[in-house]
Structure formats: C-alpha cells, structure tokens
Amino acid sequence: DAGVIQSPRHEVTEMGQEVTLRCKPISGHNSLFWYRQTMMRGLELLIYFNNNVPIDDSGMPEDRFSAKMPNASFSTLKIQPSEPRDSAVYFCASSFGTGPYNEQFFGPGTRLTVL
Amino acid sequence: KQEVTQIPAALSVPEGENLVLNCSFTDSAIYNLQWFRQDPGKGLTSLLLIQSSQREQTSGRLNASLDKSSGRSTLYIAASQPGDSATYLCAVIMDTGRRALTFGSGTRLQVQP
C-alpha cells in the first residue's frame, strides 16, 4: 500500500498567489482529514470529509481557504489569496470509517512557505 | 474545550533505558486515543490506538495505557534504542460525533547511543 500521498512536498510562493495542495487517500478509506501544523499552534484540524462529503469545516481559518473532494481518491485544499501567516506544514490523513478502532493514517505533508 | 498536555516536552536518555511518556486530557469523554511518532521533517506514524473502553494496547516494545476517568495515558517504551529518537504525540477524539484529533504538543525524545 502506498499510504496517503500528498503533493507537492514543498511549495514556496509569494503573498497573494493561489496555492493548491493535493491529497490521495489510502485506497478503500472513506474518511479524509486536512490538518495544519505550526510551531505556535501545533497540529489542528482544518476540515474532514466522510464519503466525499464535508462533515466539519469549523477549523478552516477563513474564506481564503477551501477544500474539495470530487471523488473517493482525491482531495484538494486551496488557499486564495495566500498570506505569510499561512506558512505551515499541511497534512492529509485518511481512515476507513470513523469508528472507535479506525486509526487515522497521515501523509508526509506539504511544507508551505508564503513570502 | 479539550486540552491535551504532554510532559515532559523533551527527554534525553541513554540507550537501553525503559521510559514513560505522559499524556493528559481535560475532558474524559473521549472516543479513542492515538499515539503517533513524528520524525523531523516527516509525517506522523501511527503507533497505537486505544479505544475508550480499553485499558491498554501493546505493539512490540511499546505499551500504551489509558485511564479515561483520570484523563491520562502513558506510552511505555522498553529497552530504548537510538532509532526511537523522534517526537511522540498523543491525540484524542471526543465522544461528541466530531472525529477530529486533538493533539498534544508532543515529547521530543533523544536516545543516546
């Protein structure tokens, strides 16, 4: 199994540019999570999907952030326009369902730097 | 609001020592608790998951215990090795229907050869 795949692994962009992060969950998993990790705030959930439907987006910081899951094998997180404070590592995770025994498996992350 | 605390923030031990990492949470109404390992610049690797009705889980040299009523979990690492050096994170999911992990800030472990 290839695990959760994220691209790009590193992204450097200038303030005001649009950034799109991509995630391919583990095959067969039907729950997908986007987390953000910063030194100041640690790891925090942004949004999660169950069966391609957004369930909880309360962690999305503001309207500049949007996420989609057009099918079971692909999700995007878009930031438009980007700001320096968006610099962080963005992780995608997936699980098979959301039961009490369902572990979340994380991808390698995308390190975003906004100049 | 659930808060997860991990003590100590950093730990350095000689190879071969048995060690205990601590995790505490303020709201005992949890669904499950998961321990992760994070290597520098890398993603998170799931180590153990304990469902709320369980008391402990074991995997190789790792043993995680859960005392839900007191809001505590420990990760025991037996016979530590330099390859165990990493940051260890615990995270809980609340029993509210929201399946987001709430993370502690981690314990950075260094095992000296």
Side-chain angles (χ1 to χ4, degrees), chain A residues 9 33 35 37 43-45 48 55-56 58-59 91 98-109 111, chain B residues 31-32 34 36 38 41-54 89 93 97-101 103:
Chain A
R9 293 293 309 278
F33 306 80
Y35 291 89
Q37 186 176 37
L43 270 155
E44 296 178 304
L45 179 86
Y48 80 91
I55 302 299
D56 185 342
S58 60
F91 288 103
T98 55
Y101 297 99
N102 297 126
E103 294 174 82
Q104 293 186 24
F105 294 90
F106 280 67
R111 182 173 296 275
Chain B
Y31 193 57
N32 63 31
Q34 215 170 329
F36 294 89
Q38 185 174 28
K42 299 290 179 63
L44 281 69
T45 300
S46 178
L47 298 174
L48 289 164
L49 179 147
I50 308 178
Q51 194 266 342
S52 62
S53 63
Q54 296 177 317
L89 296 151
I93 291 179
R98 186 172 189 260
R99 294 296 177 247
L101 286 163
F103 283 87

Side-chain angles (χ1 to χ4, degrees), chain A residues 1-113:
Chain A
D1 194 330
V4 177
I5 299 173
Q6 291 187 247
S7 65
R9 293 293 309 278
H10 302 272
E11 177 81 27
V12 180
T13 190
E14 293 190 346
M15 183 173 63
Q17 296 298 307
E18 177 179 295
V19 175
T20 299
L21 311 181
R22 296 171 176 79
C23 175
K24 177 179 170 56
I26 293 172
S27 178
H29 283 191
N30 61 352
S31 295
L32 183 140
F33 306 80
W34 284 100
Y35 291 89
R36 179 170 68 175
Q37 186 176 37
T38 62
M39 289 294 292
M40 289 296 292
R41 300 176 66 88
L43 270 155
E44 296 178 304
L45 179 86
L46 298 175
I47 185 171
Y48 80 91
F49 297 83
N50 194 41
N51 294 323
N52 311 339
V53 176
I55 302 299
D56 185 342
D57 65 355
S58 60
M60 296 286 263
E62 49 198 274
D63 292 346
R64 297 185 297 106
F65 286 68
S66 62
K68 294 182 180 180
M69 191 163 187
N71 58 61
S73 60
F74 183 65
S75 178
T76 59
L77 177 68
K78 185 177 294 186
I79 308 172
Q80 166 64 16
S82 59
E83 297 182 3
R85 61 190 166 124
D86 302 330
S87 297
V89 181
Y90 291 80
F91 288 103
C92 177
S94 70
S95 68
F96 177 65
T98 55
Y101 297 99
N102 297 126
E103 294 174 82
Q104 293 186 24
F105 294 90
F106 280 67
T110 295
R111 182 173 296 275
L112 174 65
T113 302

Side-chain angles (χ1 to χ4, degrees), chain B residues 14-42:
Chain B
E15 181 177 4
E17 269 202 14
N18 301 324
L19 55 98
V20 175
L21 307 181
N22 296 295
C23 171
S24 62
F25 42 95
T26 54
D27 188 336
S28 63
I30 65 168
Y31 193 57
N32 63 31
L33 182 146
Q34 215 170 329
W35 280 94
F36 294 89
R37 167 188 174 136
Q38 185 174 28
D39 293 282
K42 299 290 179 63

